[in-house]
Amino acid sequence: MIAPIAVALTVGLLGWTYRALKPPPPKICGSPDGPPVTSPRIKLSDGRHLAYREAGVPREEAKYKIVVIHGFGSSKDLNLPASEELVEELRIYFLFFDRSGYGDSDPNPSRSVKSEAYDVQELADKLQIGSKFYVIGISMGAYPVYSCLKYIPHRLAGASLVAPFVNYWWPCLPANLSNDAFSRLLAQDQWSFRVAHYTPWLFYWWMSQKWFPSLSILAGNMAIFSQSDLEILKKWSEAPSVGQEKIQQQGVYESLHRDIMVSYGKWEFDPMDLINPFPNNEGSVYIWQGYEDRIISFQVNRYLSEKLPWIHYHEVPDAGHLLIFESKNCEAVLRELVQR
């Protein structure tokens, strides 16, 4: 009797483990079981679709064309608080898009840091915005900008990384610097990023289990925000932006979880491998960092800009992680990017 019971328990345990580790299939937009497609989309060469939104002046009349890359838990429907007067004055066309798995864009099971750049390039080509364009990456949307600097630098007219994401396992970071920055994170975030980096196959289970706290931002822990961030969040709560309900509609795994696993995983390159894409000063690359940012340590981004002197570094004294969502900072980012 003991042997059959042991076998049954083992099989049951294996079954439970398999179900706990395996994420549910995504609910693809436009599929019979998925949400409807509610945004314009382009079809990529691999068959996936990317949803996009255009803003600013018409692309045919624009002097500057900027691809805006959203961060973690965001989408193409983010609002940049630049005045209409500024946009008209500078003749800016904005192209926002849902990154893979977010909003109305199809998931990419083969998603990588490298694939992000080619998604941007193919989107730009499908919409015929020109041989060169600007990119702005916000928070976790900065790792696609690093990818663009590595893989499609010839397509860029300029780039801004705003409150940019940091991978604490980049080989270029001195151990004391990365350890210090990492230790400033809440313990639950440290563990989440460790799991994403070392055992990504466990990440869905980690984010789903209830025994230990996982990612603080998803738990609504406001301790990660600075005072200026909290003021911005208060304004957002009073006037919720359009499209928030669609961000995770295809499943949390293909949007939020895969974003973290790719960004905190092992990269195909190191930031120190990057070469100045504008040796003749025909464009510029910027890092904008809030000094009060509690999510991304200013020390790391300051170090990167010192080691890559062709990156122009702006540290905003009274700003936190959401610095671009303050009008004065947003307009400064735009002016500097296109008028340099």
Side-chain angles (χ1 to χ4, degrees):
M1 289 295 293
I2 294 176
I5 291 172
V7 169
L9 289 174
T10 301
V11 170
L13 180 60
L14 289 173
W16 177 88
T17 302
Y18 177 78
R19 289 192 300 273
L21 297 181
K22 184 177 174 60
K27 297 180 178 180
I28 307 294
C29 283
S31 68
D33 297 326
V37 176
T38 57
S39 306
R41 308 199 300 178
I42 58 103
K43 189 173 183 178
L44 300 172
S45 56
D46 64 2
R48 289 182 295 117
H49 296 86
L50 280 188
Y52 66 91
R53 177 175 71 89
E54 299 172 287
V57 303
R59 77 179 87 132
E60 301 81 10
E61 302 172 15
K63 184 176 181 180
Y64 304 108
K65 297 169 184 176
I66 303 177
V67 179
V68 181
I69 307 174
H70 69 79
F72 181 77
S74 185
S75 75
K76 68 181 184 309
D77 295 311
L78 70 88
N79 245 334
L80 288 183
S83 68
E84 287 186 26
E85 291 78 13
L86 178 80
V87 174
E88 289 288 341
E89 173 198 337
L90 298 178
R91 309 303 295 163
I92 295 176
Y93 160 85
F94 294 105
L95 177 55
F96 301 84
F97 71 102
D98 289 331
R99 293 194 287 122
S100 296
Y102 282 100
D104 285 345
S105 287
D106 291 340
N108 181 4
S110 303
R111 187 173 173 185
S112 66
V113 174
K114 186 176 184 177
S115 71
E116 296 284 300
Y118 292 109
D119 280 1
V120 171
Q121 176 173 251
E122 202 166 347
L123 175 67
D125 288 343
K126 291 283 186 178
L127 293 180
Q128 300 180 337
I129 68 171
S131 60
K132 286 185 179 287
F133 47 85
Y134 296 86
V135 289
I136 295 177
I138 302 167
S139 188
M140 197 169 278
Y143 82 82
V145 174
Y146 279 121
S147 182
C148 290
L149 290 167
K150 174 64 176 177
Y151 296 111
I152 59 165
H154 57 289
R155 300 300 306 273
L156 302 182
S160 284
L161 302 99
V162 183
F165 150 90
V166 166
N167 184 320
Y168 301 95
W169 291 272
W170 281 332
C172 65
L173 297 180
N176 62 330
L177 177 63
S178 59
N179 289 340
D180 178 66
F182 194 68
S183 69
R184 294 172 187 267
L185 301 174
L186 296 179
Q188 63 198 86
D189 293 339
Q190 293 181 34
W191 278 107
S192 295
F193 298 152
R194 284 191 188 104
V195 172
H197 181 77
Y198 292 111
T199 55
W201 52 274
L202 269 179
F203 194 67
Y204 173 72
W205 169 81
W206 174 259
M207 295 297 289
S208 305
Q209 54 79 34
K210 306 300 181 187
W211 299 318
F212 308 103
S214 54
L215 205 61
S216 61
I217 194 167
L218 297 183
N221 190 331
M222 306 306 281
I224 62 175
F225 294 109
S226 69
Q227 185 57 44
S228 61
D229 289 338
L230 292 173
E231 291 169 6
I232 292 169
L233 290 171
K234 185 175 184 295
K235 291 179 185 175
W236 287 355
S237 69
E238 294 166 354
S241 59
V242 175
Q244 291 299 301
E245 73 286 351
K246 297 196 302 180
I247 291 174
Q248 303 173 35
Q249 66 180 351
Q250 298 182 86
V252 69
Y253 183 77
E254 288 296 344
S255 52
L256 307 184
H257 295 183
R258 197 176 290 280
D259 211 6
I260 293 175
M261 291 188 295
V262 170
S263 57
Y264 284 102
K266 183 175 173 57
W267 283 32
E268 300 95 338
F269 65 94
D270 186 275
M272 290 302 154
D273 298 336
L274 298 175
I275 298 170
N276 183 3
F278 309 115
N280 301 315
N281 295 319
E282 64 273 33
S284 295
V285 181
Y286 301 92
I287 286 178
W288 291 80
Q289 172 70 48
Y291 182 77
E292 301 294 335
D293 194 333
R294 297 182 184 176
I295 295 175
I296 301 295
S297 168
F298 73 84
Q299 290 92 340
V300 176
N301 282 320
R302 185 189 286 178
Y303 172 84
L304 291 173
S305 63
E306 289 170 354
K307 292 299 179 181
L308 297 171
W310 46 270
I311 295 181
H312 304 274
Y313 181 69
H314 292 288
E315 196 167 282
V316 186
D318 57 348
H321 192 65
L322 303 178
L323 72 90
I324 198 170
F325 298 105
E326 286 191 63
S327 182
K328 64 177 181 178
N329 296 330
C330 179
E331 295 193 356
V333 169
L334 295 174
R335 279 194 182 277
E336 186 107 3
L337 178 63
V338 302
Q339 292 189 319
R340 177 76 179 186

